[in-house]
Amino acid sequence: MATEMNGDHMPEYESKPLPDVVERFMRYVQIDSQSDPEHDDVTPSTPRQHGMARYLGEELTSLGCTDVTVDEHAYVTGTFPASPDAQSAPALMLCSHLDSVIDAPAAGIKPHIVHYEGGNLVAGVVAGEKIETTPEQVPDLEKFVGMDIVCSDGSTLLSADDKAGVAEICALLKRLSDNPELKHPTLKIAFVPDEEIGHGAALLDLEKLGAAYGYTVDGEALGEFNYECFTASQADITFTGVMVHPGSAKDVMVNAITVASEFQQMVPAFERPEHTEGREGFYHPINVEGSASEVKLSYIIRDFDSDIFDRREQTLRDIAAFLNTRYGENTVRIEIHQQYRNMAEKFKGYEFLIDYALAANREVGIEPNPVPARGGTDGAQLTFRGLPCPNIATGGYNAHSIREFIPVPSMEVTVDLLVALVAKFADRADCQG
């Protein structure tokens, strides 16, 4: 279904067969499965994720998986049997998340294909405004001239994060099923809910899953590969004021809003997300609420270096202590909660997972680009739970945005990459080294 965007109108689709991975992807994104941080006390955080989970359970069954389970928390697991010559190899897990982020609308997604001829990539027209991505915003666009690109209509997410990963894993299973000569170990498939709100693989039963190691398929630009990520925590800070009538407030009133403002001004200004990149960490205020009598302010803290990360946490504690000296004990109370750690700390003895992924990229004509993930992945959580798990790219761009897109050839070559990758595990007889 290739289309070209022209002017303010969406043209009719031109019918043509879709590659298997694209056909699957366009089906999956039309199932609403947003997670919701406001309901993170239950898993899944939204009932709609159950519908996506049930659908994917049926997909895995139709693709030849055994032991397919869709549990009460919307975790989907299944086993794809090894090729005949690889049945003694340790099982390999492949994992993607089934939820979509809440940062933009995700209900009623209308995926379509734009044949990109250069210039701005126009996803659609909403209320008379073109929803477009410029080459300045995404320099990689120049690589895609002449290619088909999947977009939403501009009113919603596309949900390539991470239904592209789901589709690529399912397309891999289809490829292996249709070509029994392709070597692969037993594959343990896991599709998990609530990754976008930090839960992800938390409730995945690793003992029951039975994999020795694995990969998440949840990256962005083709070739990107993540085996390290931020170490992360959240700081929740409460500012308690002293309230009296403002007419008689001199030397008595302590305004919680004022103290919270002073706190924020003392946090290093150029160590915020809008001023950092690459391996630079940050402090990021994410929520503030309250009144002159009490304010609650939350930060997320991120860094790749564990020593620098520890210093960041201490900086916030030191600011709180300084303000308590100025305004009185317990004016500022700070609680810091660890979220996840840099998974690079846990790959000693499992370096082959990195080597295999880099080699598989090169085998399909992609120069790999190992980059530290400026965020968390299900792989980080799984790695610290004892299942080493780097992250493979899906090929998507502009995640968490109505401008999200993914080139068709990128999805196809990701399936090729996964075929090459799983073949490397067919002859392994050990779990380490």
Side-chain angles (χ1 to χ4, degrees):
M1 296 189 298
T3 71
E4 293 187 23
M5 301 305 303
N6 183 15
D8 288 345
H9 301 286
M10 183 88 70
E12 295 298 319
Y13 290 141
E14 174 191 339
S15 228
K16 80 176 190 181
L18 292 173
D20 177 64
V21 64
V22 179
E23 186 276 329
R24 292 179 186 280
F25 174 65
M26 294 179 79
R27 277 193 282 123
Y28 300 161
V29 301
Q30 294 180 69
I31 304 171
D32 179 15
S33 58
Q34 275 182 312
S35 49
D36 186 351
E38 294 298 318
H39 298 93
D40 64 356
D41 55 330
V42 294
T43 304
S45 60
T46 54
R48 51 187 171 249
Q49 291 182 76
H50 283 295
M52 185 71 194
R54 287 190 294 269
Y55 190 86
L56 291 178
E58 294 170 0
E59 286 284 277
L60 290 185
T61 299
S62 71
L63 288 164
C65 288
T66 60
D67 304 323
V68 175
T69 300
V70 181
D71 74 11
E72 69 273 22
H73 298 295
Y75 284 78
V76 185
T77 56
T79 301
F80 190 82
S83 56
D85 50 358
Q87 294 178 357
S88 63
L92 174 70
M93 183 201 68
L94 296 174
C95 176
S96 291
H97 64 87
L98 58 81
D99 65 315
S100 301
V101 76
I102 203 169
D103 294 355
I109 293 175
K110 299 178 179 64
H112 68 107
I113 294 178
V114 175
H115 187 71
Y116 180 60
E117 295 291 1
N120 294 352
L121 172 65
V122 181
V125 179
V126 178
E129 178 185 355
K130 290 182 181 179
I131 307 301
E132 56 191 348
T133 300
T134 70
E136 290 74 26
Q137 293 167 331
V138 179
D140 278 359
L141 271 176
E142 66 180 19
K143 302 177 183 178
F144 307 136
V145 173
M147 295 184 184
D148 287 343
I149 297 177
V150 188
C151 304
S152 75
D153 65 359
S155 65
T156 67
L157 293 167
L158 178 61
S159 201
D161 179 13
D162 184 30
K163 290 177 184 174
V166 173
E168 288 157 356
I169 290 172
C170 288
L172 165 71
L173 301 183
K174 174 64 172 173
R175 180 89 61 88
L176 296 177
S177 179
D178 290 346
N179 299 274
E181 74 280 4
L182 295 174
K183 296 175 63 174
H184 60 277
T186 299
L187 299 178
K188 298 291 185 173
I189 308 303
F191 298 135
V192 303
D194 283 343
E195 188 271 352
E196 297 291 4
I197 63 170
H199 286 194
L203 299 181
L204 189 61
D205 187 335
L206 298 187
E207 184 176 353
K208 181 179 178 182
L209 188 71
Y213 28 63
Y215 294 89
T216 50
V217 185
D218 186 23
E220 295 192 68
L222 200 64
E224 288 188 1
F225 176 65
N226 316 118
Y227 59 88
E228 53 181 329
C229 64
F230 279 142
T231 293
S233 64
Q234 177 167 320
D236 296 317
I237 307 162
T238 302
F239 303 86
T240 302
V242 176
M243 296 310 298
V244 296
H245 190 284
S248 55
K250 183 177 172 66
D251 298 327
V252 177
M253 177 185 286
V254 176
N255 190 313
I257 296 173
T258 300
V259 182
S261 175
E262 288 186 33
F263 189 103
Q264 166 63 4
Q265 294 306 310
M266 295 175 73
V267 175
F270 286 96
E271 296 182 31
R272 300 172 186 162
E274 57 266 40
H275 302 303
T276 61
E277 61 183 353
R279 299 187 63 83
E280 298 169 331
F282 56 74
Y283 308 87
H284 180 32
I286 57 170
N287 188 63
V288 61
E289 59 184 28
S291 65
S293 60
E294 183 180 86
V295 170
K296 293 185 177 181
L297 174 60
S298 295
Y299 288 81
I300 58 173
I301 308 164
R302 303 289 188 264
D303 214 290
F304 292 99
D305 184 287
S306 59
D307 290 337
I308 297 174
F309 176 80
D310 291 343
R311 289 200 294 272
R312 289 187 184 282
E313 290 189 334
Q314 189 59 43
T315 293
L316 296 189
R317 293 188 182 99
D318 290 346
I319 295 171
F322 172 81
L323 291 173
N324 280 330
T325 300
R326 171 180 287 182
Y327 291 107
E329 188 177 356
N330 291 325
T331 300
V332 184
R333 301 190 307 278
I334 181 168
E335 295 182 357
I336 298 180
H337 313 278
Q338 183 174 306
Q339 294 176 309
Y340 53 84
R341 294 195 65 83
N342 188 343
M343 59 183 169
E345 299 174 13
K346 294 292 185 178
F347 279 109
K348 185 175 182 181
Y350 292 94
E351 292 86 354
F352 65 89
L353 293 171
I354 299 167
D355 296 338
Y356 284 1
L358 299 180
N361 271 275
R362 294 188 179 102
E363 286 176 21
V364 298
I366 304 167
E367 184 55 38
N369 178 28
V371 294
R374 289 181 61 80
T377 69
D378 283 326
Q381 190 175 79
L382 289 166
T383 297
F384 273 86
R385 291 183 59 201
L387 193 142
C389 193
N391 186 50
I392 301 286
T394 64
Y397 290 84
N398 289 346
H400 298 201
S401 163
I402 57 175
R403 293 169 175 81
E404 187 180 17
F405 70 88
I406 187 166
V408 167
S410 295
M411 298 187 74
E412 294 179 288
V413 78
T414 298
V415 180
D416 296 338
L417 185 158
L418 292 174
V419 171
L421 181 62
V422 299
K424 297 182 181 303
F425 290 86
D427 298 323
R428 290 200 67 87
D430 62 336
C431 294
Q432 271 193 295

